[in-house]
Amino acid sequence: MKPLPPGSTIGILGGGQLGRMLAIAAAQLGYNTRVLAPDEEAVAAQTAASFTRADYHSRIVLDEFASAADVVTYEFENIDIEPVDYLSGKVPVHPGPTSLAIAQDRADEKSFVNALGGRTAAWAKVTTLEELQAAIAAIGTPAILKTLRLGYDGKGQVRLQSPDDVDAAWAAIGARPAILEAFVPFSHEFSIVLARGNDGAMVSYPPPWNEHKDGILARSTLPAPAEIAQQWGEAATLTGRIAETLGHVGVLTCEYFVGADGPVFNEMAPRVHNSGHWTIEGAVTSQFENHIRAICGLPLGDTGLTATRVEMLNLIGKDADGWAGYLAERDAHLHLYGKSVRPGRKMGHVTRLVR
């Protein structure tokens, strides 16, 4: 791929905070960005050069969007595959539709990773209550029932403590196709954020220790504890194998549990990721810049740490009201996403560096 020169236009599907930060990184490298999203509140429009509010399925809109872009990317994986497929026939789209399709279906994702030798929790696809009952008999409880598609930040899933919970759990997810996963005993959660270029070159970041609250990432800390460091190499190797097999171009994030026998793959996101927000100040090259570099055919940047310790805190709901206090901290870097406040909503993040 011939590198796209500065002044080229990057189309971004999706109007959330990830698109917002991608647009900032693109602007620093001299690129224009154009956001397409149906949302009334599209915070990415605040940093992009232009914004089109429209449905993703309008062929007229997609044709115009493709004609104005030199490359297209997306900032979330819950967009339908059809518009992405359509665009990929008109303009380069990175990551490609294959990465998106695998990440959108939890059963396909688990099967794909298992076929590559990845370790996952025991799981089964279920489409009926009877299949769920059979899966519980085979896998046991405690277990987690997750909708096959959609769902993030703890949404679309419910825990079963015993077989007696089956009816309530099935009703709780709306009796939709799902997977049942065995509960994995683990000591820590971590992620591998990797960037792959069109030429196959890959770089990855040191893994953060990710702590969640109510299913939402609350804190990412580096360097990670020894338990994570010991499983870093195996997890990074698997993530690279996933990216290579998919022909993925851009950032790919895989989440893992520290298991007794090695890293246990949880899920993948074919995009920049919340657990990589610390890289804006905490790494030499941020995940957002490396994504832009990758999709534009530029050399990938250094992923080393810029501090001896890095901590990223998510600001959820009214947590963002403490903005003045964070700004008063000498080594804190505040990012607010320009959203209207809502309970449980990611409003921003703050990254603290210890040098």
Side-chain angles (χ1 to χ4, degrees):
M1 174 183 177
K2 186 177 179 180
L4 288 180
S8 301
T9 298
I10 300 168
I12 301 175
L13 298 173
Q17 67 263 22
L18 299 179
R20 177 189 180 93
M21 289 181 274
L22 282 171
I24 293 171
Q28 289 176 329
L29 296 180
Y31 295 102
N32 301 308
T33 50
R34 184 168 188 173
V35 168
L36 171 62
D39 314 294
E40 182 175 354
E41 183 184 68
V43 296
Q46 299 171 6
T47 59
S50 64
F51 169 58
T52 300
R53 184 186 176 197
D55 187 87
Y56 295 122
H57 294 276
S58 168
R59 293 293 175 90
I60 295 174
V61 170
L62 293 176
D63 285 344
E64 195 275 336
F65 186 68
S67 69
D70 297 290
V71 66
V72 170
T73 191
Y74 45 87
E75 61 110 39
F76 74 133
E77 65 269 33
N78 287 340
I79 184 172
D80 287 341
I81 195 72
E82 290 82 6
V84 178
D85 264 331
Y86 183 76
L87 284 169
S88 67
K90 295 179 173 295
V91 64
V93 177
H94 301 308
T98 302
S99 294
L100 184 64
I102 292 292
Q104 284 185 342
D105 186 294
R106 285 191 167 101
D108 289 347
E109 180 184 72
K110 299 286 186 186
S111 296
F112 176 75
V113 171
N114 287 152
L116 292 178
R119 184 184 296 103
T120 65
W123 65 277
K125 181 177 177 179
V126 296
T127 59
T128 66
L129 179 60
E130 291 71 27
E131 288 179 354
L132 175 57
Q133 291 168 333
I136 289 174
I139 292 175
T141 54
I144 301 175
L145 184 65
K146 300 180 179 179
T147 54
L148 206 59
R149 304 177 70 84
L150 305 178
Y152 61 94
D153 289 342
K155 300 178 179 68
Q157 57 185 269
V158 61
R159 181 173 295 189
L160 294 88
Q161 297 293 349
S162 77
D164 295 336
D165 297 332
V166 62
D167 291 331
W170 187 241
I173 65 163
R176 290 181 288 168
I179 62 169
L180 182 74
E181 287 184 0
F183 181 75
V184 177
F186 65 92
S187 62
H188 297 79
E189 295 180 69
F190 68 100
S191 53
I192 299 294
V193 178
L194 174 148
R196 182 177 182 271
N198 200 58
D199 60 356
M202 288 187 279
V203 295
S204 66
Y205 293 88
W209 173 24
N210 298 326
E211 300 172 84
H212 292 76
K213 181 179 180 181
D214 299 326
I216 301 174
L217 179 64
R219 182 196 317 263
S220 292
T221 309
L222 296 103
E227 294 89 344
I228 293 174
Q230 291 165 3
Q231 300 191 2
W232 175 3
E234 185 178 346
T237 298
L238 175 60
T239 305
R241 194 179 307 136
I242 291 169
E244 185 71 30
T245 305
L246 290 172
H248 188 91
V249 175
V251 167
L252 172 71
T253 306
C254 292
E255 297 180 312
Y256 294 91
F257 301 117
V258 172
D261 299 319
V264 178
F265 173 90
N266 181 30
E267 60 186 25
M268 61 175 268
R271 54 170 172 80
V272 289
H273 195 262
N274 193 179
S275 67
H277 288 358
W278 63 269
T279 63
I280 296 174
E281 292 85 21
V284 176
T285 312
S286 77
Q287 65 165 343
F288 301 99
E289 181 178 329
N290 261 333
H291 186 81
I292 298 300
R293 286 175 176 239
I295 67 173
C296 292
L298 306 177
L300 299 177
D302 187 351
T303 58
L305 298 180
T306 61
T308 57
R309 186 176 186 276
V310 181
E311 177 189 72
M312 188 281 294
L313 297 175
N314 262 339
L315 303 179
I316 310 297
K318 292 192 174 183
D319 290 348
D321 291 345
W323 57 268
Y326 293 120
L327 288 174
E329 294 183 31
R330 178 179 176 181
D331 295 316
H333 299 268
L334 177 67
H335 297 260
L336 296 177
Y337 304 148
K339 295 179 176 181
S340 56
V341 179
R342 194 166 63 223
R345 195 178 200 192
K346 293 175 181 174
M347 300 299 301
H349 70 272
V350 61
T351 301
R352 294 187 175 105
L353 304 181
V354 177
R355 291 186 168 90

